[in-house]
Amino acid sequence: MGGAEGARGYLYQAIACVLNSMREDNWIKVQMEPVTSEDKVDIAYEYEDGSYKAIQVKSSINNFTKGEIFNYFKSLIRDMSNANEYSLILIGTCSDNTKTIINSINKIRRNNVDKTTKSVINDLDPELKAVKEKLSIDLLNNDIYSLESNIMREFNYFLSQHGYSVDYPILELIVGAINYQFNKFSTNSSFITKKDYEKQILEWINFCYPQIQKGKRKRVSLIVNYYYESTFQDIFEGQKVDVDYLFKSKYVLEKKKRLISLFNEINSIQLSNKTAVKNIEKYNLTIQDAYLLYNWCDCEYNEELKEEIKDKSKKYLDITIEDTFFYLGNLKKEKYYLTGPFINSKPRFKGEQNEIEKYEKLQNFRYGLDELTGIMEMLEYIGEYYIIPLALRNIGEYYDEKIRVKLELPKDINLLTPDEFKLPIIDVLDYFIGDTSILNCILKHHSDSNVEEYPDSYIPIPKISMPYLSNKDYYDEIKNDYNEYKRYLEALMNVRVFDDNKDYKILEYEFTELKPKENIAFPSFILVKYDKSFKIRFKITSKNSSDVQAGELNYII
């Protein structure tokens, strides 16, 4: 590298470092040109969680190629194998095909994989494919003035967050001096902490530019509290989902009322038990006997089904069913009858009208009882979990936006996620999907005088009823229904869960905005199983706060 190119390279590294230091969150230390075996790492960041990011800065007057980009990554990975992220800052241009590759690599890190991205993944060699989620690329214009303009914009935002109002000429001088300072770092492998970085900038500004106006610093104060029974708390006495309340919900009470009414109607129809049928020798059957024997069957339930209905009725309706409840006289129905996609055919009955009426009511009771059982079993399942009811609060005086909250829970806690949530029986699945569902009612904070409800992100997909042309059509629809159930759960909980931390289970939430003195509920209650008290640590970052706001909550079991 010639003298001019070397000087330009160091300048670009300094600019890239300043620019990234303005944009990056949660870093505690940055080092330029760290001492490594291959000397390929230009900038290294250390973060609060102990992770590292390695950056290589490349500038060129020629187009960057796919092969060059892949080789840059390989050399960076080999030089700092313990890094958690590998980033290239490419200052220059590239072809449209190479831009597509760059966009796809960034999509992989954001877990936004489309058809084009899959093709790029397949094109990666094993060394890069193994760390594809750790890769990122930033393509910048190689115009020095454009780069400094980007820094000025970011730096102006940084100063405004610290209460300074800066004119353009002075801002230009400040940015030039900051670039020079980082350029010095690149020649001696010095590191600087974020705290010292911000402190030195502000002290230097106060000393060199006393004419800069400094107003009252904006302080955004975001905290997380428990919110339960209209009260904000830092300590929460563990509560399980209120099963008794669930059992008294409108869904359950209405179904019980209908079933008990139907039970009384069935009991009022008194019929005799079926008459024993004499044994008929098969070789001596008349045509009428053969038709009766092979195409008609008794309607009365078998003993196993009767006991099942008795048990469910006692458990969920608190009613005792006698054997006479199931008596249907000598009612029979067709075994075989014509049916198909466009034929709404039903079996014919052979018996008295009151026998047919009782059988149809009995069938309705049976299926209604199955639905009630399906709902109750889901409620009993949910009732086994402790709830963590949280709200985000802005107790400061300034508006904030692009808020990210990270919660740290014990590593071994049993957290209920959408993938692990129990599947209801298909007959009651619709009761657990959508903004009027049971889950929406019991697992979500709804707006009240203290908190706003978290915006609903679930958009139902309209269902088009079509006749089944085969069993496959029927099972495909069931599969689609359960996929919709999972999609709803993901929207309801709206959380990203990370298990890569050795000490904690990390939950990440995002909030669009929050006005001063307002509160917003988390998307849903967090459901956990645990056998002892624990702490929940939270960290909050946002657009309008330069600091990470942290705190701790106690959960008592």
Side-chain angles (χ1 to χ4, degrees):
M1 180 183 289
E5 290 179 343
R8 185 185 65 189
Y10 284 130
L11 177 59
Y12 280 149
Q13 284 183 17
I15 291 174
C17 191
V18 174
L19 194 57
N20 268 273
S21 299
M22 293 291 101
R23 294 175 179 171
E24 287 277 351
D25 292 326
N26 304 336
W27 63 272
I28 59 173
K29 186 187 296 184
V30 62
Q31 187 172 10
M32 290 191 63
E33 293 284 350
V35 177
T36 58
S37 59
E38 301 283 336
D39 199 26
K40 296 297 182 182
V41 180
D42 293 325
I43 308 169
Y45 284 96
E46 182 180 346
Y47 294 89
E48 292 175 342
D49 61 0
S51 61
Y52 291 89
K53 178 178 181 179
I55 300 175
Q56 190 174 91
V57 182
K58 290 291 182 181
S59 61
S60 176
I61 59 174
N62 301 315
N63 278 353
F64 290 104
T65 66
K66 178 183 76 171
E68 287 174 334
I69 291 172
F70 287 179
N71 286 332
Y72 295 153
F73 271 129
K74 289 178 184 178
S75 63
L76 192 59
I77 292 166
R78 292 165 187 165
D79 196 24
M80 196 172 184
S81 59
N82 66 329
N84 303 85
E85 182 180 352
Y86 301 97
S87 178
L88 296 180
I89 297 178
L90 305 180
I91 302 175
T93 59
C94 63
S95 67
D96 289 342
N97 287 339
T98 305
K99 280 184 180 178
T100 299
I101 293 171
I102 291 174
N103 290 336
S104 294
I105 287 174
N106 290 331
K107 284 183 178 180
I108 295 170
R109 181 158 180 81
R110 297 195 301 267
N111 197 25
N112 181 21
V113 179
D114 54 22
K115 185 176 180 180
T116 303
T117 306
K118 288 180 181 178
S119 176
V120 171
I121 292 173
N122 293 333
D123 198 33
L124 296 174
D125 63 26
E127 184 177 359
L128 294 181
K129 193 176 290 186
V131 294
K132 61 184 184 297
E133 294 85 1
K134 297 182 178 182
L135 310 179
S136 64
I137 302 175
D138 200 1
L139 183 64
L140 302 176
N141 193 313
N142 61 4
D143 177 8
I144 187 69
Y145 299 107
S146 175
L147 290 171
E148 288 197 342
S149 177
N150 287 338
I151 296 178
M152 290 176 68
R153 183 174 61 252
E154 298 288 345
F155 202 73
N156 191 35
Y157 172 77
F158 166 79
L159 292 175
S160 69
Q161 293 306 298
H162 289 78
Y164 290 92
S165 176
V166 187
D167 294 331
Y168 183 85
I170 295 178
L171 182 63
E172 198 172 24
L173 290 172
I174 293 173
V175 169
I178 293 296
N179 285 343
Y180 169 74
Q181 181 65 44
F182 271 87
N183 206 356
K184 284 201 306 180
F185 290 154
S186 68
T187 61
N188 59 14
S189 300
S190 298
F191 72 83
I192 187 170
T193 66
K194 186 174 186 180
K195 182 178 180 181
D196 288 340
Y197 170 64
E198 294 183 352
K199 181 181 177 183
Q200 287 181 22
I201 289 174
L202 296 175
E203 287 179 349
W204 179 74
I205 288 172
N206 287 328
F207 180 78
C208 297
Y209 300 96
Q211 72 270 36
I212 293 178
Q213 297 178 2
K214 186 177 189 303
K216 182 180 179 181
R217 179 180 176 181
K218 293 184 178 180
R219 289 194 177 274
V220 180
S221 298
L222 300 173
I223 62 170
V224 174
N225 277 141
Y226 296 114
Y227 181 68
Y228 191 70
E229 294 183 343
S230 302
T231 304
F232 294 105
Q233 310 166 47
D234 292 323
I235 301 175
F236 186 69
E237 295 282 347
Q239 300 279 341
K240 290 190 175 181
V241 181
D242 190 349
V243 176
D244 290 336
Y245 164 76
L246 302 179
F247 289 168
K248 296 173 184 177
S249 66
K250 65 177 182 178
Y251 301 96
V252 173
L253 293 180
E254 288 175 1
K255 279 197 168 293
K256 284 186 175 183
K257 184 178 179 180
R258 287 196 297 270
L259 285 170
I260 291 173
S261 176
L262 196 52
F263 165 79
N264 292 327
E265 291 176 21
I266 295 169
N267 250 352
S268 68
I269 305 175
Q270 295 295 317
L271 297 174
S272 61
N273 197 5
K274 64 182 179 181
T275 305
V277 179
K278 64 179 180 178
N279 291 327
I280 303 175
E281 295 181 358
K282 294 181 181 181
Y283 62 81
N284 197 26
L285 290 177
T286 65
I287 294 176
Q288 183 178 2
D289 288 338
Y291 179 68
L292 184 65
L293 180 63
Y294 292 111
N295 199 47
W296 296 88
C297 62
D298 291 326
C299 290
E300 189 169 317
Y301 295 161
N302 61 45
E303 293 304 317
E304 183 180 355
L305 182 54
K306 289 179 184 178
E307 290 303 315
E308 180 184 325
I309 293 173
K310 286 180 179 180
D311 291 342
K312 290 178 179 177
S313 298
K314 185 63 179 176
K315 182 175 181 179
Y316 296 120
L317 299 176
D318 196 27
I319 58 177
T320 301
I321 292 182
E322 304 294 341
D323 288 339
T324 55
F325 180 77
F326 301 102
Y327 287 176
L328 295 170
N330 289 315
L331 181 66
K332 298 184 181 299
K333 66 177 179 179
E334 276 185 308
K335 284 184 182 179
Y336 311 107
Y337 54 95
L338 191 62
T339 186
F342 303 102
I343 303 173
N344 188 18
S345 178
K346 294 181 179 180
R348 291 180 298 168
F349 292 95
K350 193 168 186 177
E352 302 297 330
Q353 184 58 39
N354 60 344
E355 293 174 340
I356 297 172
E357 181 184 348
K358 183 174 182 179
Y359 175 75
E360 290 176 342
K361 290 180 181 294
L362 195 56
Q363 287 285 83
N364 290 336
F365 181 83
R366 170 191 170 187
Y367 296 134
L369 187 60
D370 284 343
E371 285 192 4
L372 176 64
T373 302
I375 292 174
M376 298 297 275
E377 287 177 348
M378 279 294 294
L379 298 185
E380 290 167 352
Y381 164 78
I382 296 169
E384 296 174 356
Y385 286 84
Y386 286 101
I387 61 169
I388 303 178
L390 298 176
L392 176 67
R393 307 180 66 194
N394 185 348
I395 59 175
E397 300 177 357
Y398 296 92
Y399 166 89
D400 208 350
E401 59 183 322
K402 295 182 179 179
I403 304 164
R404 179 173 296 173
V405 179
K406 289 186 178 181
L407 304 178
E408 296 178 354
L409 273 64
K411 183 71 174 178
D412 60 340
I413 201 166
N414 184 347
L415 173 71
L416 187 57
T417 65
D419 287 336
E420 296 164 349
F421 219 98
K422 179 181 175 70
L423 299 178
I425 62 172
I426 190 65
D427 295 334
V428 299
L429 190 59
D430 286 345
Y431 288 100
F432 294 91
I433 300 176
D435 58 5
T436 60
S437 70
I438 293 175
L439 295 183
N440 189 278
C441 175
I442 62 177
L443 297 183
K444 188 177 176 72
H445 269 313
H446 297 280
S447 296
D448 61 20
S449 59
N450 294 320
V451 300
E452 287 294 321
E453 179 179 332
Y454 192 89
D456 188 2
S457 62
Y458 173 70
I459 301 175
I461 298 175
K463 292 176 63 175
I464 302 175
S465 296
M466 296 289 289
Y468 306 126
L469 300 178
S470 65
N471 285 340
K472 182 178 181 302
D473 291 342
Y474 171 70
Y475 290 115
D476 282 348
E477 182 171 314
I478 291 178
K479 182 179 178 181
N480 290 336
D481 288 344
Y482 279 116
N483 286 338
E484 186 69 6
Y485 171 68
K486 182 181 177 182
R487 195 172 71 86
Y488 166 69
L489 286 175
E490 289 172 346
L492 174 68
M493 296 184 173
N494 208 354
V495 60
R496 297 178 68 195
V497 181
F498 299 94
D499 276 317
D500 54 346
N501 187 292
K502 63 183 179 67
D503 298 317
Y504 301 104
K505 197 181 293 288
I506 308 295
L507 279 62
E508 184 179 280
Y509 294 88
E510 293 187 357
F511 299 82
T512 304
E513 62 179 357
L514 193 58
K515 296 175 183 178
K517 308 302 181 185
E518 289 196 354
N519 315 299
I520 185 170
F522 275 55
S524 70
F525 296 153
I526 301 169
L527 299 179
V528 299
K529 286 183 179 179
Y530 211 48
D531 57 2
K532 56 187 176 183
S533 299
F534 58 93
K535 296 181 183 296
I536 300 175
R537 295 177 177 85
F538 64 82
K539 296 179 180 179
I540 307 172
T541 57
S542 63
K543 179 179 178 180
N544 295 340
S545 177
S546 59
D547 301 321
V548 177
Q549 299 173 79
E552 188 175 87
L553 303 170
N554 290 307
Y555 196 98
I556 309 300
I557 295 180

